[in-house]
Amino acid sequence: MIDMKLLAGVQMFDALGPNQRHAMASVLKICQLSPRDTLFKQGDRAHSCYWILEGNVDVQAGGEDRKHLARLRKGELLGEIAMLDGGRRSATCVGGSRGAVLAQLDAADFDTLFESGSQFANRLMEIVGAQLAARFRRAVTQLTEAVMSVE
Amino acid sequence: MSTAEFFRSLPLFEGFTDSQLEAVASCCRSMHTPAGGTIFEAGQRSTGAYIVVKGQVEVTLPLPGGHPREIATLGAGEIFGEISLLSPGKRAMGVHATQDTDLLHLEQLGFDALKAQQDPAAYRLIRTVGLTACERLRSTNHMIEQLWGGETAPVGLEPQATPISAWSRLRRLFGGA
């Protein structure tokens, strides 16, 4: 059970009623990340998603060069596709310059919430779906470019 | 057979309760498309997903200045246009019937109404459709890597020992015939 005050300012939690927020706080875990500490690497099996409660997280392409892709900030959600399918991480995430405090939700706990009809789990499933649709549309654009390049 | 009974027979709807199947069925409208008919074109605004009851459809990727490329053939029990249930928008690909085809159109409006009522069927549907989308996304990414890398698929996956074209591989990855 994490301190519910830590969740204040994260839109998805602010939108919940007291009962739902309590149910969430009971399954979330706090995860501290020092600057440049690795949260997960591209290719790792994905079991959890995270909300940034403090600090920031850098998203990098895997491989030798570790190209910087994005900086995620307080309130943002990351790694959420893991709630749907325990596939592999598509990027590497490390603590930003000030490190980060994260709330971690494991896929197994998400499943329990989802099966119990939790409104929060429903909303998270919607977000995961929309994220996936955006990725799929980008992939189709890339596929078109790839086909054009070989013809 | 009722629509809900038909759904019960599909792997896509595994784990749905009877009332959830009824709820999804209530969003569906039966339709028929003759061989050669268009179900939707790339670029059109989405109006929901489709499930093939009988017949066969072809999914095509539009190419600027060229003919659309066939990337998958889908048959009975398979879903397409499912990305729109996750996020309505423009169709990325076109779909045409290659045989006389019976379809169920899972209409966006009905689906949105289920969501507005917080009906568990809506979220279970997002989940099952999301899993299908995950598989198709992974296949698409794999194909992009292969095209950029200029690799061909390992021989031995097909009965003939001829090199497998990238497209036949993509079609198989997409779950097409």
Side-chain angles (χ1 to χ4, degrees):
Chain A
M1 178 90 188
I2 69 169
D3 183 350
M4 283 195 276
K5 284 201 282 290
L6 287 170
L7 303 179
V10 178
Q11 205 190 353
M12 269 191 81
F13 298 112
D14 288 345
L16 297 174
N19 289 345
Q20 289 262 333
R21 202 174 311 163
H22 188 270
M24 275 317 293
S26 67
V27 295
L28 292 172
K29 284 177 255 184
I30 287 290
C31 174
Q32 302 261 6
L33 209 56
S34 301
R36 290 178 298 284
D37 261 6
T38 303
L39 180 62
F40 52 75
K41 291 203 294 287
Q42 182 177 332
D44 283 354
R45 279 246 165 246
H47 302 291
S48 315
C49 70
Y50 306 85
W51 285 267
I52 303 175
L53 304 180
E54 291 297 337
N56 43 49
V57 170
D58 287 332
V59 186
Q60 305 171 336
E64 294 298 298
D65 55 343
R66 287 284 185 99
K67 193 176 149 214
H68 177 84
L69 296 177
R71 166 157 289 187
L72 304 177
R73 295 184 166 77
K74 182 173 174 167
E76 288 191 272
L77 170 64
L78 61 109
E80 69 278 14
I81 305 281
M83 298 302 101
L84 192 59
D85 140 306
R88 298 193 181 272
R89 299 294 188 190
S90 59
T92 296
C93 279
V94 303
S97 51
R98 294 187 292 120
V101 180
L102 308 166
Q104 174 180 343
L105 174 63
D106 292 337
D109 291 322
F110 172 77
D111 281 345
T112 309
L113 285 171
F114 185 77
E115 294 304 334
S116 73
S118 146
Q119 234 175 332
F120 182 88
N122 287 347
R123 180 71 196 119
L124 185 53
M125 187 49 68
E126 268 190 275
I127 290 174
V128 170
Q131 185 65 255
L132 204 54
R135 283 199 199 181
F136 187 81
R137 289 191 172 111
R138 276 201 299 276
V140 171
T141 306
Q142 286 169 358
L143 180 63
T144 308
E145 286 164 8
V147 174
M148 300 294 281
S149 79
V150 297
E151 292 196 342
Chain B
M1 195 180 358
S2 74
T3 299
E5 281 164 356
F6 170 64
F7 286 162
R8 173 61 69 213
S9 71
L10 305 181
L12 187 66
F13 291 103
E14 212 183 292
F16 280 65
T17 64
D18 288 340
S19 67
Q20 288 169 348
L21 290 178
E22 290 291 347
V24 177
S26 74
C27 304
C28 291
R29 191 174 55 83
S30 295
M31 55 179 274
H32 177 81
T33 305
T38 297
I39 296 141
F40 57 74
E41 301 276 10
Q44 282 179 351
R45 281 218 80 74
S46 63
T47 56
Y50 297 83
I51 296 152
V52 181
V53 178
K54 199 170 110 236
Q56 195 179 61
V57 301
E58 184 180 88
V59 183
T60 57
L61 177 74
L63 292 179
H67 283 293
R69 289 296 284 268
E70 183 207 336
I71 65 157
T73 307
L74 303 175
E78 293 185 285
I79 190 166
F80 60 90
E82 76 285 357
I83 297 296
S84 70
L85 296 180
L86 303 177
S87 167
K90 288 191 176 162
R91 300 289 190 191
M93 302 194 202
V95 181
H96 311 270
T98 49
Q99 298 172 2
D100 282 346
T101 300
D102 292 328
L103 297 159
L104 287 165
H105 182 195
L106 207 170
E107 293 176 314
Q108 189 76 45
L109 284 176
F111 175 69
D112 288 344
L114 278 189
K115 270 203 301 187
Q117 295 155 22
Q118 288 278 323
D119 190 312
Y123 299 95
R124 194 159 290 280
L125 191 61
I126 293 177
R127 191 175 211 183
T128 192
V129 157
L131 279 169
T132 303
C134 266
E135 275 169 41
R136 289 177 176 173
L137 174 62
R138 207 164 278 137
S139 307
T140 307
N141 283 337
H142 185 71
M143 192 58 214
I144 294 165
E145 275 167 35
Q146 286 213 327
L147 283 167
W148 285 125
E151 295 173 40
T152 51
V155 177
L157 291 173
E158 296 240 311
Q160 320 89 310
T162 51
I164 302 163
S165 84
W167 287 105
S168 68
R169 184 162 170 77
L170 178 66
R171 290 182 51 184
R172 198 171 47 234
L173 287 165
F174 251 90

